[in-house]
């Protein structure tokens, strides 16, 4: 009896100490899983997964489910479209022999039912094989890696241009709120936000390439120029100006409005009134104190928008013939290249998630 009472008391002490430790730490470090020692009534605490590791595992599981659903939906949608890759090839080559077309479908695996094709693709994907593009005659992974650098350069440049312009315009609009400068900036940002990106790109080509002949109309660099080193990078920079500015205008409009609203909210806070009461100039209060706190929501939106900017780059890359992932995805849709399109969507989904 005394032994049983002693074990019960010891168990109560362990549970109380564990709860006290959790309350003091403020974080649930371990799950409440216990192991009972054989032959006794005493429950030994067993260390399970730390809470942060359990959170990571749970998030990875959710991300895997989202990726699988994205791939399945993309696979179903592109196969639901009328025609397939063989029909596109037949139209381009003027082939009318049905027997030969059936032979091509059998070669590419398009004669099998949709569930079987998706199962085969899922099996390859489980082995980290994105498949093969029969139209490009290359593996999907190599195509994505080749175009990734151009898209990353375009997106990074557009983001930097949009962020730099938003910092300047948003700060000016917040400092001169309800004045002429604020009204002009608000009207320009609204116009940039509402204007279609492809129309801006076409007008820039007409103005700067056709009329003024200042910038190249498309591509990433001059073909067969033989440029190397700094000269080649300068040539790439000239080709980058119009696509980057076109893609940045939409971001600039969004970031400017967001920064203006955030600054106006911060400028009403008590610490700003205290800084003004200490005799600091309005510019120093705005830049050194208010802007730092107003940047928090902007940085969050910039990070989220950068991950999802591939959708906007499809239009810009198509207008300016920029050899990136967006143009590659557009070509894959036109050619009904299922493996290539699903691979690009899978890569984009992983980046976003």
């Amino acid at each position: 009896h005394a032994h049983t009472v002693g074990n019960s008391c010891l168990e109560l002490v362990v549970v109380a100490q564990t709860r006290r430790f959790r309350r003091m730490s403020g974080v649930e470090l371990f799950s409440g899983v216990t192991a009972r020692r054989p032959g006794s009534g005493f429950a030994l605490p067993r260390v399970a997964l730390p809470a942060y590791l359990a959170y990571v595992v749970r998030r990875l599981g959710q991300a895997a489910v989202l990726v699988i659903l994205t791939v399945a939906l993309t696979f179903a949608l592109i196969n639901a479209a009328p025609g397939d890759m063989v029909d596109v090839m037949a139209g381009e080559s003027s082939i009318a022999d049905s027997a030969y077309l059936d032979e091509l479908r059998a070669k590419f695996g398009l004669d099998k039912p949709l569930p079987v094709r998706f199962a085969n693709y899922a099996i390859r994907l489980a082995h980290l094989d994105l498949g093969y593009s029969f139209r490009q005659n290359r593996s999907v992974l190599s195509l994505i890696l080749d175009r990734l650098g151009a898209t990353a350069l375009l997106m990074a440049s557009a983001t930097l241009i949009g962020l730099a312009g938003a910092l300047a315009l948003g700060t000016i609009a917040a400092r001169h709120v309800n004045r002429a400068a604020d009204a002009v900036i608000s009207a320009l940002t609204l116009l940039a936000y509402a204007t279609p990106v492809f129309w801006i790109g076409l007008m820039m080509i007409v103005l700067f390439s056709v009329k003024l002949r200042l910038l190249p109309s498309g591509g990433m660099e001059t073909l067969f120029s033989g440029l190397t080193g700094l000269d080649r990078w300068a040539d790439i920079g000239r080709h980058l100006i119009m696509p980057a500015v076109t893609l940045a205008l939409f971001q600039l409009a969004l970031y400017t409005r967001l920064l203006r609203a955030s600054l106006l909210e911060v400028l009403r806070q008590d610490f700003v009134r205290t800084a003004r009461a200490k005799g600091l100039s309005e510019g120093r209060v705005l830049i050194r104190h208010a802007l730092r706190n107003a940047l928090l929501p902007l940085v969050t939106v910039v990070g989220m928008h950068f991950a999802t900017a591939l959708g906007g780059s499809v239009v810009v890359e198509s207008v300016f013939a920029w050899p990136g992932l967006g143009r590659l995805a557009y070509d894959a849709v036109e050619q009904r290249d299922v493996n290539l399109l699903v691979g690009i969507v899978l890569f984009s989904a992983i980046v976003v998630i």
Side-chain angles (χ1 to χ4, degrees):
H1 178 71
H3 177 71
T4 304
V5 172
N7 284 340
S8 300
C9 293
L10 183 58
E11 181 178 359
L12 291 176
V13 170
V14 171
V15 172
Q17 291 294 334
T18 303
R19 291 178 178 175
R20 180 171 176 271
F21 175 75
R22 290 173 178 174
R23 287 196 301 270
M24 292 177 64
S25 63
V27 181
E28 188 73 14
L29 294 180
F30 306 103
S31 62
V33 181
T34 59
R36 187 171 299 278
R37 188 172 61 189
S40 68
F42 177 66
L44 294 174
R46 184 177 65 190
V47 177
L49 285 177
Y52 70 90
L53 187 56
Y55 173 79
V56 171
V57 172
R58 185 171 64 252
R59 294 293 295 176
L60 287 177
Q62 295 174 355
V65 173
L66 289 176
V67 169
I68 293 173
L69 292 177
T70 302
V71 171
L73 183 60
T74 305
F75 197 90
L77 286 177
I78 192 172
N79 281 279
D84 54 19
M85 181 172 57
V86 175
D87 292 330
V88 176
M89 295 173 63
E92 293 176 351
S93 305
S94 301
I95 299 175
D97 188 0
S98 59
Y100 180 68
L101 296 181
D102 293 338
E103 182 180 350
L104 286 179
R105 288 190 175 91
K107 177 182 178 181
F108 298 146
L110 299 176
D111 58 334
K112 299 177 181 179
L114 181 60
V116 176
R117 281 184 282 162
F118 180 75
N120 294 334
Y121 183 82
I123 293 173
R124 293 197 307 268
L125 192 61
H127 292 83
L128 303 180
D129 181 12
L130 296 181
Y132 191 83
S133 173
F134 294 99
R135 294 304 307 270
Q136 305 286 343
N137 201 24
R138 292 178 59 187
S139 66
V140 173
L141 181 60
S142 64
L143 286 170
I144 292 177
L145 293 179
D146 284 348
R147 301 292 188 95
L148 181 59
T151 296
L153 177 62
L154 176 61
M155 292 168 57
S157 303
T159 301
L160 290 177
I161 294 173
L163 187 59
L167 287 174
L169 296 179
T171 303
I172 295 174
R175 186 173 183 179
H176 303 281
V177 61
N178 296 328
R179 297 181 184 176
D182 183 26
V184 172
I185 292 175
S186 298
L188 292 178
T189 54
L190 181 61
L191 181 63
Y193 186 83
T195 306
V197 175
F198 72 89
W199 189 85
I200 296 177
L202 293 175
M203 292 302 102
M204 292 187 70
I205 291 176
V206 171
L207 178 61
F208 294 104
S209 296
V210 179
K211 300 293 184 182
L212 302 178
R213 299 184 181 276
L214 296 176
L215 297 172
S217 60
M220 185 175 176
E221 56 184 316
T222 305
L223 297 177
F224 311 111
S225 61
L227 298 176
T228 58
L230 294 178
D231 294 334
R232 179 172 179 265
W233 281 106
D235 183 58
I236 293 176
R238 293 182 66 249
H239 286 78
L240 179 65
I241 292 176
M242 288 199 297
V245 171
T246 302
L247 188 59
L249 285 177
F250 176 82
Q251 301 178 16
L252 185 146
L254 180 63
Y255 299 160
T256 300
R257 300 298 298 175
L258 179 61
L259 181 61
R260 176 185 178 275
S262 181
L263 267 175
L264 291 178
E265 182 179 356
V266 171
L267 288 173
R268 301 188 186 100
Q269 301 297 322
D270 293 336
F271 73 91
V272 175
R273 298 192 186 97
T274 302
R276 287 169 175 166
K278 290 181 179 180
L280 297 180
S281 63
E282 188 65 23
R284 188 172 183 180
V285 170
L286 187 66
I287 302 300
R288 294 288 301 275
H289 297 276
L291 187 59
R292 291 182 179 180
N293 294 275
L295 286 177
L296 294 177
L298 178 62
V299 171
T300 303
V301 173
V302 169
M304 296 175 59
H305 194 268
F306 183 81
T308 58
L310 181 60
S313 67
V314 173
V315 179
V316 175
E317 290 180 5
S318 300
V319 171
F320 291 98
W322 187 263
L325 286 177
R327 179 63 183 271
L328 187 64
Y330 179 78
D331 293 339
V333 172
E334 279 195 331
Q335 298 169 357
R336 299 295 191 272
D337 195 338
V338 179
N339 290 340
L340 181 56
L341 182 61
V342 175
I344 296 173
V345 172
L346 174 62
F347 175 80
S348 304
I350 292 175
V351 172
V352 173
I353 295 174

